[in-house]
Amino acid sequence: MTARFLAAAAVFALMNAAAVPAYAQAVPQLPPSAVQTRPQAGVPQQVTLQQALDIAVAKSPVLAAARANQRLTQIPVSLARSALFPNISAAASASHSNNAGRTTNGQTIGGGFTSRGLNADLRQLIYDGGKLIAQLHQARANAVAGTETYDRQLQTLAFNVAQAYYTSLQSKSATQLAAQVVHQNEVQEALVRAQLRAGTASRVDLATAQLPTAQARVALVRAQGQEATALAAFANALGLDADVAVAPANTPAANSTSPLVTVLSYDQAVTRALLLRPDYLAAKNGVMAAQYNVQAQRSGLLPTLTANATYGTNSTTVTGTNFRPGSTIGATLNIPIFDQGITRAQTEQAQAQLDLAQSQLDQ
């Protein structure tokens, strides 16, 4: 008799468990306003990790600013190189002056006077104590440092995108797990209800079974909130608005990466980092640029030699006619004697910048 009763109770419990509604209908959902998203043109709603990186490179304002800064470091190279070439200029002039004339001994003095001319000027720096070359090397080192800094920012962006990508996948899995826990507790609660109807359980047993279900529902709502937050952070890492409908695609084949096959010692890891880390290479070139800046500032105490030449044709009569050609050629040697301490102050400032760059490299 007891065996029949227990069998009937088990069958009744299974029937009640089968009648439990599906997860989509049974578990609580976040308010629509909390998870409302919108599609954006050109952005798929499910993306692989590579697609996410491509979108971030194209959309991220952080990387756009990094590209602009990288371009700014390239321009001074052209400016510094331009000083190596001669400066050539041409000028055409025409003027007319009119003064009140007077007659003396039958000759008219004063009156109108016209002057016309066409001249070309050439200047070439010959020696400046090495300042120009130092400035050119400084600009090149800064350009390399700018490129390395951009590469590091690109790596940082890729890391942030990948971190947000896998965090979003993790939060989604946590939500699914929380939903399964809710479902299991509901099945257990249904079983206790069946036992209560069969007379083999008390209402205390039912209350005890309802408590884990309520706790699981709270955990599910929290997991849903964390998933919504992770999706918003993922969209933000891509350079999109937080409410854009974009989510990582859980496709292991598309997101898989090659496993590490080499175990490095500490010294090997440091050596590799010093060879491959763009931020270290940028700091190293920053020190080099600061050293050239010190050299350029010190050269302000050295003499400079400049060559110049002019050629032109100018009028020689009061009516602006009878043009005669003329030319000059020469050199100018400038020897600084006292510059009010400006060069010394600029050198000290450059040395302080070098010390700062060296400390950043050490860090």
Side-chain angles (χ1 to χ4, degrees), residues 49-338:
L49 180 57
Q50 184 59 51
Q51 290 175 327
L53 293 174
D54 294 339
I55 294 173
V57 170
K59 298 285 188 178
S60 174
V62 175
L63 196 61
R67 281 193 293 266
N69 289 330
Q70 191 267 344
R71 288 197 300 270
L72 288 176
T73 61
Q74 312 303 309
I75 298 174
V77 177
S78 299
L79 294 176
R81 189 186 297 117
S82 64
L84 295 172
F85 303 101
N87 184 295
I88 302 175
S89 61
S93 61
S95 63
H96 177 77
S97 60
N98 190 10
N99 299 320
R102 69 178 189 274
T103 302
T104 304
N105 299 326
Q107 295 182 350
T108 302
I109 301 176
F113 181 81
T114 301
S115 174
R116 298 184 180 93
L118 183 63
N119 297 274
D121 179 75
L122 182 145
R123 287 178 296 169
Q124 174 65 56
L125 178 65
I126 298 177
Y127 176 77
D128 65 348
K131 182 176 183 179
L132 175 59
I133 298 299
Q135 290 176 337
L136 180 58
H137 287 314
Q138 177 191 0
R140 287 175 175 171
N142 283 328
V144 175
T147 300
E148 296 293 349
T149 300
Y150 172 74
D151 290 341
R152 183 56 180 172
Q153 290 173 324
L154 186 61
Q155 289 180 350
T156 302
L157 177 66
F159 172 78
N160 292 336
V161 169
Q163 188 176 45
Y165 185 94
Y166 290 114
T167 299
S168 182
L169 286 178
Q170 181 182 14
S171 64
K172 181 178 180 180
S173 299
T175 301
Q176 294 173 349
L177 177 61
Q180 290 297 326
V181 173
V182 171
H183 180 68
Q184 290 175 2
N185 283 280
E186 287 178 339
V187 171
Q188 182 65 26
E189 183 181 342
L191 177 60
V192 174
R193 289 181 184 276
Q195 292 173 347
L196 179 63
R197 294 189 186 98
T200 59
S202 65
R203 292 190 177 276
V204 175
D205 296 328
L206 178 60
T208 303
Q210 288 175 338
L211 178 60
T213 303
Q215 292 175 336
R217 287 176 177 270
V218 173
L220 175 59
V221 173
R222 289 176 178 173
Q224 289 174 331
Q226 292 174 354
E227 181 182 1
T229 302
L231 287 173
F234 177 60
N236 182 72
L238 300 185
L240 305 172
D241 291 335
D243 63 341
V244 173
V246 58
N250 192 8
T251 53
N255 300 326
S256 62
T257 57
S258 58
L260 295 176
V261 295
T262 303
V263 179
L264 302 177
S265 66
Y266 178 81
D267 293 336
Q268 290 174 332
V270 171
T271 301
R272 178 171 294 187
L274 296 182
L275 292 175
L276 299 179
R277 282 284 296 263
D279 50 347
Y280 170 76
L281 299 177
K284 191 174 181 180
N285 282 278
V287 171
M288 188 181 302
Q291 291 173 344
Y292 282 121
N293 186 34
V294 173
Q295 180 180 344
Q297 298 304 327
R298 286 176 178 170
S299 63
L301 298 174
L302 300 177
T304 60
L305 179 62
T306 305
N308 56 80
T310 60
Y311 179 82
T313 178
N314 298 273
S315 60
T316 59
T317 64
V318 295
T319 58
T321 58
N322 194 17
F323 287 86
R324 295 290 179 87
S327 62
T328 61
I329 186 170
T332 302
L333 178 64
N334 184 10
I335 302 176
I337 298 176
F338 177 70

